[in-house]
């Protein structure tokens, strides 16, 4: 069972913060807070946010993509953090076709039902983590209520956790095969990403 | 036995009662209800049809319900009508008791050996019926889709007729379900520009809308309206699963989605789904992205709404596609 732990250090009481062990942990540290938990494992830090993990970063070949995404290996899987608040569906398709199985989108708007992150999860059959509030997004086939959302559970004040099994993704891919039916030949022919649109 | 399939095809052609069909078509031609409307560029009224595809025992039972859908659309001043996927398959029900399979109960794989012999007679019946009705009611008609055999290959093909009954576009399904692969259906080779439609209209088929690429290509070809005939073998309708299709695609690409749905029981599968017209959420007053949608995921219904093409065109022009000029996109499908 894989886990993602979210620590809101504004709300979490210091003495009661549990240790998740091998889980992926995300710390929300408001500027006034100077916590330095697991400093030896910290591989990425943003303003007010810090990802704590011991596994290596794996840059993409393309520098443009690296400006948008951070990729690392965790639990033998490729995980990508989207550094943007908005993105085009081509970006998550690019990540999925290069083996990414989980997206972390801390700055995505998480209030729209069936929003961009949910749509990309469904059409790429990846897992995704959104925050504020913490939610796990996964293919509809992998949730009991077929909504594609799994809410986090409160572990302690200010500490939330979501759990999943990677096999859930494989099962969803088996139940509803999407990627094997991509038509790269047709897409390459149309090249909609080029400038200079034609009309009917 | 080698003679069984040609015999079944012969029996099917007989049961489709072409002589009776000729009388029906002739009666329509002598009582034309309306003239072909002049297309407007600023708005278009669209009807989408949720149609029960449970097999019928007699062709007029199917044809009369199709005619009724046209009549309802015309009463609401529709200029475009959209039907669902596999809408011709109920006609196989006329073979009930005459071949070794029953279209409403037996699973589709049991029909596999028969399909090659039987699809073209029902395709022709569907095609000619839709053609006559499109001309009679003077409505541009996305006739849903049907399986056809061309040069020994099976395709799941959608057809658009203009208001004069001329075929203005055909489009084979490009992204197949595994079940369709097992049946020997071949995926379409390309998304074809449909240049003769009076509106910037393109049709694709069902699972094509699972892929954002389909809508990107349609938009790149200049489409404002993308018609999607669907059939969904889900015994229990799920709103979330339904939102993964056309609704999701029009949020990513600035076009309107017109969905015609097939429901009922076919080949032992229960089919549910809603017909609807979907827009980017910022173009709907309530922010839902749903301009209109049928009330229930079962049964039959025709819903109609007017789409403001001027507004949609303006939205397209403002659509931020500068992101699509990034260099990394050239490598997107290279592996």
């Amino acid at each position: 069972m894989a886990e993602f732990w979210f620590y809101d250090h504004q709300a979490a009481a210091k003495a009661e913060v549990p240790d998740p062990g091998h889980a992926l942990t995300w710390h929300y540290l408001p500027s006034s807070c100077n916590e330095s938990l697991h400093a030896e494992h910290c591989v990425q830090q943003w303003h007010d946010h810090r990802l704590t993990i011991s596994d290596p970063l794996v840059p993409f070949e393309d520098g443009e993509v690296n400006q948008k995404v951070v990729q690392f290996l965790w639990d033998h899987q490729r995980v990508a953090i989207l550094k943007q608040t908005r993105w085009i569906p081509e970006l998550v398709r690019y990540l999925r076709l290069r083996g990414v199985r989980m997206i972390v989108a801390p700055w995505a708007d998480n209030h729209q039902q069936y929003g961009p992150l949910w749509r990309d999860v469904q059409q790429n059959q990846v897992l995704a983590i959104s925050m504020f509030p913490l939610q796990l997004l996964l293919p509809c086939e992998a949730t009991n209520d077929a909504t594609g959302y799994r809410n986090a559970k409160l572990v302690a004040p200010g500490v939330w956790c979501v759990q999943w099994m990677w096999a859930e993704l494989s099962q969803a891919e088996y139940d509803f095969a999407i990627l094997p039916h991509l038509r790269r030949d047709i897409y390459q022919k149309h090249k909609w990403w080029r400038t200079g649109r034609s009309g009917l | 036995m080698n003679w069984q399939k040609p015999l079944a095809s012969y029996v099917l052609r007989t049961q489709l009662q072409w002589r009776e069909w000729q009388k029906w078509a002739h009666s329509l031609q002598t009582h034309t209800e309306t003239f072909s409307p002049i297309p407007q560029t600023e708005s278009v009224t669209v009807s989408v049809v949720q149609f029960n595809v449970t097999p019928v025992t007699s062709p007029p039972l199917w044809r009369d319900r199709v005619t009724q859908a046209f009549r309802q659309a015309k009463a609401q001043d529709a200029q475009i009508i959209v039907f669902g996927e596999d809408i011709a398959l109920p006609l196989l029900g006329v073979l009930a008791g005459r071949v070794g399979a029953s279209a409403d109960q037996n699973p589709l794989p049991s029909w596999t050996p028969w399909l090659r012999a039987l699809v073209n007679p029902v395709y022709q019946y569907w095609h000619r019926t839709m053609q006559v009705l499109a001309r009679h009611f003077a409505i541009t008609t996305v006739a849903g889709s049907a399986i056809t055999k061309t040069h020994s290959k099976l395709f799941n093909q959608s057809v658009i007729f203009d208001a004069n009954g001329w075929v203005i576009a055909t489009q084979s399904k490009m992204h197949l379900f595994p079940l369709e692969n097992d049946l020997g259906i071949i995926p379409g080779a390309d998304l074809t520009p449909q240049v003769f439609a009076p509106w910037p209209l393109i049709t694709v088929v069902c699972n094509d809308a699972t892929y954002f690429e389909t809508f990107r290509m349609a938009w790149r070809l200049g489409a404002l309206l993308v018609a999607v005939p669907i059939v969904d073998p889900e015994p229990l309708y799920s709103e979330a699963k339904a939102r993964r299709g056309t609704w999701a695609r029009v949020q990513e690409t600035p076009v309107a989605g017109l969905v015609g749905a097939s429901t009922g029981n076919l080949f032992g599968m229960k089919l549910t789904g809603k017909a609807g017209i979907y827009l980017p959420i910022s173009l709907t007053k309530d922010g839902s992205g749903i301009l209109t949608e049928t009330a229930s995921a079962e049964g039959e219904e025709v819903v109609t709404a007017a789409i403001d093409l001027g507004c949609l065109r303006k939205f397209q022009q403002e659509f931020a596609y500068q992101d699509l000029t990034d260099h990394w996109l050239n490598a997107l499908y290279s592996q």
Side-chain angles (χ1 to χ4, degrees):
Chain A
M1 182 77 77
E3 295 181 351
F4 182 98
W5 287 57
F6 177 82
Y7 293 80
D8 180 352
H9 286 273
Q10 205 168 26
K14 264 187 203 172
E16 295 174 10
V17 174
D19 182 5
H22 182 60
L24 195 61
T25 60
W26 189 278
H27 298 266
Y28 174 58
L29 294 153
S31 302
S32 58
C33 183
N34 292 315
E35 294 286 343
S36 56
L37 293 170
H38 305 293
E40 71 278 11
H41 288 161
C42 176
V43 295
Q44 281 291 314
Q45 186 148 354
W46 293 274
H47 180 65
D48 286 353
H49 291 266
R50 190 178 64 209
L51 170 74
T52 306
I53 184 151
S54 56
D55 294 309
L57 292 182
V58 187
F60 289 99
E61 291 173 4
D62 197 302
E64 279 180 345
V65 177
N66 288 321
Q67 287 174 11
K68 301 169 190 290
V69 180
V70 174
Q71 183 184 221
F72 57 92
L73 294 173
W74 178 72
D75 205 18
H76 309 291
Q77 306 290 339
R78 287 175 184 264
V79 180
I81 302 174
L82 295 180
K83 296 196 279 185
Q84 300 173 308
T85 54
R86 59 173 289 276
W87 60 91
I88 54 177
E90 284 83 351
L91 180 59
V92 179
R93 184 73 96 208
Y94 179 96
L95 302 179
R96 183 67 187 87
L97 292 178
R98 276 144 191 83
V100 170
R101 298 196 88 199
M102 183 167 174
I103 307 287
V104 180
W107 293 281
D109 178 6
N110 187 27
H111 295 95
Q112 184 192 345
Q113 193 182 24
Y114 312 135
L117 187 60
W118 182 87
R119 297 194 293 265
D120 284 334
V121 164
Q122 301 308 323
Q123 64 182 327
N124 292 290
Q125 298 184 309
V126 290
L127 295 172
I129 299 282
S130 66
M131 299 177 198
F132 309 107
L134 180 66
Q135 272 186 322
L136 177 68
L137 285 73
L138 59 176
C140 289
E141 284 75 14
T143 50
N144 292 334
D145 57 2
T147 59
Y149 289 103
R150 185 176 294 168
N151 289 326
K153 63 182 179 185
L154 185 66
V155 179
V159 184
W160 284 267
C161 163
V162 285
Q163 297 177 319
W164 69 92
M165 288 188 291
W166 296 106
E168 292 178 276
L169 271 187
S170 308
Q171 185 62 42
E173 288 167 2
Y174 176 80
D175 292 341
F176 182 30
I178 294 177
L179 295 175
H181 298 282
L182 284 174
R183 297 299 305 275
R184 296 168 194 246
D185 55 334
I186 303 178
Y187 311 153
Q188 286 281 17
K189 184 178 168 187
H190 283 262
K191 288 189 183 345
W192 61 86
W193 53 89
R194 294 277 180 86
T195 52
R197 298 181 54 215
S198 61
L200 280 177
Chain B
M1 288 284 204
N2 287 336
W3 53 268
Q4 282 185 327
K5 287 167 195 165
L7 180 62
S9 178
Y10 172 77
V11 171
L12 178 61
R13 286 173 200 277
T14 308
Q15 291 301 313
L16 288 173
Q17 304 169 23
W18 279 106
R19 195 163 290 175
E20 186 270 344
W21 185 94
Q22 293 285 1
K23 288 180 186 170
W24 168 79
H26 182 71
S27 70
L28 281 182
Q29 286 163 13
T30 55
H31 298 96
T32 301
E33 290 199 354
T34 182
F35 292 105
S36 177
I38 299 169
Q40 298 170 336
T41 55
E42 287 310 302
S43 77
V44 62
T45 304
V46 181
S47 284
V48 288
V49 182
Q50 188 175 307
F51 191 81
N52 190 326
V53 292
T54 301
V56 293
T57 52
S58 168
L61 295 175
W62 175 87
R63 195 181 62 215
D64 291 347
R65 285 178 20 239
V66 174
T67 308
Q68 183 59 24
F70 269 94
R71 194 158 280 136
Q72 286 182 43
K74 196 68 199 176
Q76 296 171 63
D77 296 325
Q79 295 158 297
I80 298 174
I81 186 169
V82 182
F83 285 89
E85 187 183 11
D86 288 334
I87 193 171
L89 286 180
L91 291 165
L92 288 176
V94 302
L95 285 175
R98 291 181 172 82
V99 296
S102 163
D104 54 347
Q105 293 301 326
N106 286 41
L108 197 51
S110 70
W111 278 84
T112 306
W114 300 93
L115 273 183
R116 286 181 177 277
L118 301 179
V119 290
N120 273 359
V122 294
Y123 181 92
Q124 286 160 10
Y125 193 93
W126 161 76
H127 194 277
R128 292 181 69 177
T129 303
M130 289 292 185
Q131 188 167 32
V132 164
L133 289 170
R135 186 170 60 213
H136 178 65
F137 289 98
I139 302 179
T140 300
T141 301
V142 181
S145 82
I147 301 173
T148 182
K149 188 174 77 173
T150 307
H151 302 299
S152 300
K153 292 178 179 173
L154 297 177
F155 294 96
N156 186 351
Q157 192 172 75
S158 178
V159 178
I160 306 180
F161 300 96
D162 73 2
N164 296 311
W166 294 100
V167 175
I168 54 173
T170 59
Q171 175 64 49
S172 295
K173 189 174 185 176
M174 296 176 285
H175 304 87
L176 300 178
F177 286 119
L179 177 65
E180 292 172 306
N181 280 320
D182 296 344
L183 289 173
I185 296 174
I186 305 292
D190 200 357
L191 180 64
T192 51
Q194 292 150 24
V195 293
F196 296 110
W199 292 276
L201 170 67
I202 273 181
T203 181
V204 293
V205 184
C206 193
N207 197 38
D208 289 334
T210 300
Y211 300 78
F212 76 86
E213 289 90 347
T214 303
F215 279 59
R216 286 285 204 245
M217 291 188 294
W219 163 67
R220 181 73 168 78
L221 289 169
L224 278 176
L225 310 170
V226 180
V228 189
I230 66 164
V231 63
D232 202 355
E234 288 278 346
L236 283 175
Y237 176 76
S238 154
E239 186 190 354
K241 286 185 178 178
R243 294 287 172 260
R244 298 189 295 192
T246 304
W247 180 89
R249 299 293 82 78
V250 303
Q251 308 313 321
E252 298 155 347
T253 303
V255 295
L258 321 174
V259 175
S262 296
T263 61
N265 292 287
L266 191 64
F267 301 121
M269 294 181 287
K270 183 165 185 198
L271 314 173
T272 58
K274 292 185 176 183
I277 300 174
Y278 306 107
L279 290 173
I281 54 171
S282 59
L283 297 186
T284 50
K285 286 177 185 170
D286 61 358
S288 67
I290 303 169
L291 194 58
T292 185
E293 193 175 59
T294 52
S296 167
E298 298 181 35
E300 291 189 338
E301 192 178 347
V302 179
V303 291
T304 304
I307 299 172
D308 186 339
L309 291 180
C311 195
L312 191 55
R313 206 171 272 122
K314 185 166 176 280
F315 186 77
Q316 266 198 357
Q317 287 163 359
E318 293 169 354
F319 178 66
Y321 62 90
Q322 63 268 25
D323 291 344
L324 292 170
T325 60
D326 285 355
H327 181 264
W328 61 269
L329 286 158
N330 291 320
L332 178 55
Y333 301 107
S334 60
Q335 291 182 347

